[in-house]
Amino acid sequence: MVALLVAGVRMPSWIAVASAPFSDANAFCSMIMVGMLTELPASTRDSKAVAQVLAWRIPCGILLAAAAWFLLPFDAVIREAVALCCLAPTAIFATMFTDKVLRNATLAGFTLSVTAVTSLVTMTGFHLLVS
């Protein structure tokens, strides 16, 4: 799609209309997947693993967002967008990847849910801070 945009190719409007039901279902399918995989950590080891992910993710995200805001040579809107991407929650695909590698999708689902809440707070705080 990026190549088509750069090349100036315009898609017919009927394609957007025809694909709208699929794009509308994406959020629902993502949330149902996370909901099915979210369970509280079963052991102390799992709780420590979640805490370790959060202990790395939140400070690194804030550090990268600050670096994007202060160091990138773009206008404020682009720097804010990059910074917000640094603070975004873990991807839904991380759950599937963790299940394939570690066979512990419930722990990844719980981590995704926790990072979604913390990211919502940090992203909102950053946006309020810079605007």
Side-chain angles (χ1 to χ4, degrees), residues 37-43 46-47 50 104 106-107 109-110 114:
L37 295 173
T38 300
E39 292 181 14
L40 292 175
S43 66
D46 288 347
S47 297
V50 172
N104 197 350
T106 57
L107 185 61
F110 179 74
V114 173

Side-chain angles (χ1 to χ4, degrees), residues 59-83:
C60 288
I62 292 171
L63 183 67
L64 288 172
W69 181 255
F70 291 113
L71 300 177
L72 289 179
F74 302 114
D75 64 339
V77 174
I78 294 174
R79 289 182 293 146
E80 183 179 0
V82 172

Side-chain angles (χ1 to χ4, degrees), residues 33-118:
M33 181 177 157
V34 171
M36 289 186 327
L37 295 173
T38 300
E39 292 181 14
L40 292 175
S43 66
T44 307
R45 181 176 166 229
D46 288 347
S47 297
K48 286 181 182 179
V50 172
Q52 184 178 14
V53 167
L54 294 175
W56 279 101
R57 179 146 182 84
I58 295 170
C60 288
I62 292 171
L63 183 67
L64 288 172
W69 181 255
F70 291 113
L71 300 177
L72 289 179
F74 302 114
D75 64 339
V77 174
I78 294 174
R79 289 182 293 146
E80 183 179 0
V82 172
L84 289 175
C85 287
C86 294
L87 298 171
T90 56
I92 187 69
F93 297 113
T95 306
M96 293 187 304
F97 178 75
T98 305
D99 184 42
K100 296 280 186 198
V101 175
L102 301 177
R103 299 283 182 222
N104 197 350
T106 57
L107 185 61
F110 179 74
T111 305
L112 174 60
S113 298
V114 173
T115 61
V117 173
T118 58

